[in-house]
């Protein structure tokens, strides 16, 4: 069965500190992994996807198939990064998304 | 910030009543989705539709019903059979179910009194 876990409900860091939001998944095939973000009073939106191997707003995420992880990282956190972050998985053949429980990131001044 | 809209923003209903949540999109997307968002549980898929006049159950469809009579509309009815309906409901759309970008609506918070 597909499953996504995010072990931290809340993560607090100081501005300028590195941040890592953890995401682990279980899936028997080769999944597609995504990070979605929801800023205060805004809609849930796609942040990045592993296929693109891109950096968005300074965030990167590498798919580690051996550890079945897709952790989100940023070297220097900014206050505007404070938001709710969801890791999501989609299985082969365009199956539907499975979302993790989310991690609330709070960047302190 | 249009594209996909949900109404109303807040909805209250008495126990035992059915209630319908609206979702409309003008993105010309074929696929539409309904999720339920509960604290600590992330988003769980209720129903999805790949094309007009077609829809499929998601992971937690019991107590819910949908229709897809028009491409731009995908209303969700929360029936009295749903045992724990108080939640935040999110609608989303995508070009099709194979594309990886879903666009989300602002959500409707349903409270059962």
């Amino acid at each position: 069965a597909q499953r996504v876990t995010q072990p931290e409900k809340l993560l607090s860091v100081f501005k300028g500190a590195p941040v890592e939001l953890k995401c682990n998944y279980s899936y028997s095939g080769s999944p597609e992994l995504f990070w979605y973000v929801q800023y205060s009073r805004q809609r849930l939106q796609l942040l990045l996807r592993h296929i693109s191997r891109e950096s968005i707003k300074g965030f990167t995420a590498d798919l580690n198939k051996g550890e079945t992880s897709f952790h989100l990282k940023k070297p220097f956190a900014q206050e505007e990064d404070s938001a709710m972050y969801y890791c999501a998985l989609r299985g082969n053949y365009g199956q539907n998304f499975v979302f993790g429980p989310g991690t609330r990131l709070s960047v302190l001044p | 910030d249009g594209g996909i809209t949900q109404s109303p923003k807040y909805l209250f209903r008495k126990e035992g009543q059915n209630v319908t949540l609206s979702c409309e999109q003008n993105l010309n997307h074929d696929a539409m989705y309904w999720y339920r968002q509960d604290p600590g549980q992330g988003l769980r898929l209720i129903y999805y539709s790949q094309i007009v006049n077609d829809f499929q159950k998601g992971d937690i469809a019991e107590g819910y019903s949908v229709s897809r009579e028009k491409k731009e509309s995908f209303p969700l009815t929360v029936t009295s059979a749903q045992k724990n309906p108080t939640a935040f409901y999110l609608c989303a759309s995508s070009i099709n179910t194979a594309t990886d970008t879903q666009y989300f609506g602002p959500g409707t918070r349903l409270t059962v009194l």
Side-chain angles (χ1 to χ4, degrees):
Chain A
Q2 303 172 49
R3 191 178 176 207
V4 176
T5 57
Q6 294 177 250
E8 303 132 333
K9 284 187 179 179
L10 173 64
L11 182 64
S12 295
V13 300
F14 285 103
K15 177 182 173 182
V19 62
E20 181 180 52
L21 288 82
K22 291 184 168 49
C23 171
N24 288 88
Y25 65 91
S26 60
Y27 184 71
S28 56
S30 295
E32 297 176 67
L33 273 295
F34 307 83
W35 277 98
Y36 278 80
V37 62
Q38 190 168 28
Y39 300 102
S40 178
R41 301 184 189 281
Q42 293 189 29
R43 304 179 185 205
L44 190 64
Q45 57 187 290
L46 178 68
L47 179 62
L48 56 78
R49 49 200 168 189
H50 91 269
I51 288 178
S52 301
R53 301 184 67 82
E54 56 200 348
S55 173
I56 303 293
K57 300 184 179 183
F59 283 99
T60 59
D62 291 318
L63 179 61
N64 186 323
K65 292 185 178 181
E67 295 183 358
T68 60
S69 69
F70 188 57
H71 304 326
L72 184 68
K73 301 177 184 179
K74 184 169 183 177
F76 308 103
Q78 303 300 314
E79 289 183 68
E80 55 265 30
D81 295 328
S82 295
M84 193 75 180
Y85 291 81
Y86 292 96
C87 183
L89 171 155
R90 189 172 68 175
N92 299 108
Y93 313 113
Q95 293 169 347
N96 286 310
F97 285 85
V98 174
F99 285 83
T103 296
R104 181 167 297 282
L105 174 64
S106 177
V107 180
L108 307 172
Chain B
D1 197 23
I4 180 164
T5 58
Q6 291 183 243
S7 61
K9 189 173 181 179
Y10 299 97
L11 190 56
F12 299 87
R13 81 151 209 224
K14 292 183 180 179
E15 203 169 326
Q17 290 180 336
N18 292 356
V19 64
T20 298
L21 283 62
S22 167
C23 178
E24 304 276 333
Q25 53 98 0
N26 61 5
L27 301 167
N28 201 32
H29 286 171
D30 281 324
M32 297 186 75
Y33 312 79
W34 273 106
Y35 292 92
R36 173 180 170 138
Q37 189 177 26
D38 294 285
Q41 295 195 52
L43 279 68
R44 291 182 291 167
L45 183 65
I46 305 172
Y47 267 97
Y48 67 99
S49 168
Q50 294 178 303
I51 201 165
V52 175
N53 292 321
D54 176 75
F55 49 84
Q56 306 293 330
K57 292 183 179 180
D59 300 319
I60 55 165
E62 185 175 351
Y64 300 98
S65 66
V66 293
S67 63
R68 187 84 188 277
E69 297 176 2
K70 297 186 294 182
K71 187 175 187 176
E72 57 271 23
S73 179
F74 191 41
L76 173 74
T77 297
V78 184
T79 75
S80 55
Q82 168 50 232
K83 298 189 188 315
N84 187 21
T86 294
F88 190 64
Y89 290 88
L90 279 172
C91 180
S93 71
S94 62
I95 294 173
N96 52 56
T97 51
T99 186
D100 54 14
T101 302
Q102 292 191 351
Y103 295 85
F104 284 86
T108 293
R109 182 166 298 282
L110 172 65
T111 302
V112 175
L113 305 171

